[in-house]
Amino acid sequence: MSDERDGGVAVSAVRERVAADDGDDVTEGVLAGIEERAADGRDATDAITVWHEECRRKCRAVAEDVDDVEERLREVLAPLDPAVRDTTQVQGRIDEYEDEFETFRSDLDAVLDRLAETERAPSTAAACCEAADWVWRCERTVGMVAHNCHHLEEEIEEFETWLHDPETRLDSFAEELDGFEEYLDNTEGLLDLLEAGGGRGVDPFDAWLAAYHLQRVMGVVFEELRTELAELDSWLAEQDGAYGDELATLRSRLDSLAERHEACSTRLDAAESAVDDFAERRADVAASLDRFEAAIADLEPPVDWGEVERLVSEQFEDLGIELS
């Protein structure tokens, strides 16, 4: 069957092409997208032209949504006292939001660049498949940005409440302590495994490395939590109401977590003896650990926790750490 039909490519020709490729080179949903947009159910070229323009319009509309959400953030920040805005907790959140806006715009710019490079009116079934696949991928990216932008808008509304409501701030800090405690639980579990002589098919040295990285990250977390609690104390002192009991509870929890963290450091040092050839194996990865230590040392409040998680993930991959 010929690819062409009155100057365009027949949907049936694209369908045959997909069948011949057994779907290996065609993303799921591409053929459905073409069939959905073919005006008479038969012209694939016209369908892709329509789809291409739809995606471009959606991209521009989402870019406007991103601008609107960023403007909403400016409105939330406008009345803030500069001293409040510069605190670790507040500036840390602002930095996270600004990073997300930058990512949104980068993704949308990449979509427009890709669409500009994608054939709008392909003249063969193979070209139709390629063009439609790219448009489908671009549409997926635009949809993901729109989804994440909507969630960011909700976060900013919650941020506004957090900025002005003492109970919300207290609850939020308690949740941060919950996350810190989870890190400690994981580290203690790894140390339990080491002290028991291994098990679960985990290399004891991998367990030690994982515990080491978690412990170093928690050291950074702990310092930032101390700073945030001091800032929270100062801010609450300027608000109506008495929050001494709540602050005392948070301090007690943080002190308890600090003791556990210190105990983990002691156990981690002692656990070295449970790993065969520990000195030699650590020497083999010393350069990687030194790079990680340098990266951790360079972190300054407010800490970019996405960057911290990326560092840890890269380390696990670089060192081939496997815990299951």
Side-chain angles (χ1 to χ4, degrees):
M1 178 179 292
S2 171
D3 278 356
E4 297 186 2
R5 175 187 172 278
D6 298 330
V9 176
V11 171
S12 58
V14 175
R15 194 179 293 117
E16 288 179 1
R17 173 78 183 190
V18 172
D21 286 347
D22 196 25
D24 289 344
D25 299 323
V26 182
T27 307
E28 182 182 352
V30 167
L31 181 57
I34 292 173
E35 292 175 334
E36 178 184 340
R37 291 166 179 81
D40 57 2
R42 300 167 66 187
D43 191 335
T45 298
D46 181 63
I48 291 169
T49 301
V50 169
W51 198 0
H52 191 286
E53 185 56 32
E54 280 180 10
C55 188
R56 183 179 296 276
R57 286 199 304 270
K58 288 178 183 176
C59 187
R60 288 171 175 162
V62 172
E64 291 178 1
D65 291 341
V66 171
D67 290 342
D68 290 343
V69 174
E70 187 174 40
E71 179 59 30
R72 175 65 183 128
L73 177 61
R74 292 195 191 100
E75 293 172 359
V76 169
L77 297 176
L80 282 186
D81 185 299
V84 173
R85 176 167 177 155
D86 289 342
T87 59
T88 299
Q89 282 189 308
V90 175
Q91 190 58 53
R93 292 180 182 230
I94 295 172
D95 289 347
E96 288 178 12
Y97 299 150
E98 290 179 343
D99 286 347
E100 291 200 58
F101 287 127
E102 183 177 345
T103 298
F104 293 161
R105 291 195 172 97
S106 176
D107 289 346
L108 294 175
D109 286 346
V111 164
L112 290 176
D113 289 345
R114 181 68 257 182
L115 288 174
E117 296 169 1
T118 300
E119 195 171 358
R120 291 170 52 88
S123 58
T124 68
C128 280
C129 287
E130 180 180 0
D133 186 59
W134 277 118
V135 175
W136 181 85
R137 292 175 188 274
C138 287
E139 189 176 61
R140 294 263 295 181
T141 298
V142 171
M144 185 62 68
V145 172
H147 175 80
N148 291 339
C149 184
H150 174 68
H151 279 288
L152 181 57
E153 183 177 22
E154 293 179 338
E155 285 184 29
I156 289 171
E157 295 303 322
E158 294 172 359
F159 176 53
E160 183 176 28
T161 300
W162 177 87
L163 280 171
H164 305 288
D165 182 59
E167 294 296 341
T168 300
R169 285 213 185 189
L170 288 164
D171 290 344
S172 177
F173 190 80
E175 289 174 3
E176 288 192 66
L177 294 184
D178 291 341
F180 186 87
E181 187 165 13
E182 185 175 341
Y183 262 87
L184 275 173
D185 290 341
N186 290 336
T187 304
E188 288 170 342
L190 290 166
L191 292 170
D192 289 343
L193 187 68
L194 273 169
E195 290 165 353
R200 298 190 325 218
V202 176
D203 179 352
F205 188 62
D206 277 358
W208 184 90
L209 280 173
Y212 165 84
H213 283 88
L214 292 179
Q215 188 70 355
R216 290 294 296 115
V217 166
M218 283 190 295
V220 178
V221 174
F222 179 73
E223 290 304 317
E224 181 143 316
L225 287 173
R226 283 289 192 202
T227 300
E228 290 182 1
L229 185 56
E231 291 176 349
L232 179 59
D233 190 352
S234 297
W235 182 79
L236 288 172
E238 299 175 358
Q239 311 305 308
D240 294 334
Y243 302 98
D245 290 344
E246 290 89 339
L247 284 168
T249 298
L250 293 175
R251 286 194 194 93
S252 178
R253 282 193 65 191
L254 189 54
D255 288 343
S256 176
L257 293 172
E259 290 175 3
R260 288 176 60 189
H261 180 253
E262 186 175 348
C264 282
S265 293
T266 302
R267 293 175 65 189
L268 186 63
D269 291 340
E272 296 175 5
S273 62
V275 180
D276 292 338
D277 302 320
F278 176 84
E280 292 83 351
R281 297 187 68 179
R282 194 192 187 291
D284 289 341
V285 298
S288 179
L289 297 185
D290 288 345
R291 287 193 298 271
F292 177 72
E293 288 287 349
I296 290 293
D298 286 341
L299 295 173
E300 296 181 356
V303 174
D304 181 346
W305 294 112
E307 175 67 11
V308 172
E309 291 178 358
R310 183 189 64 78
L311 284 171
V312 173
S313 179
E314 287 181 353
Q315 281 292 111
F316 273 47
E317 183 175 351
D318 180 50
L319 297 173
I321 298 172
E322 296 181 3
L323 301 175
S324 60

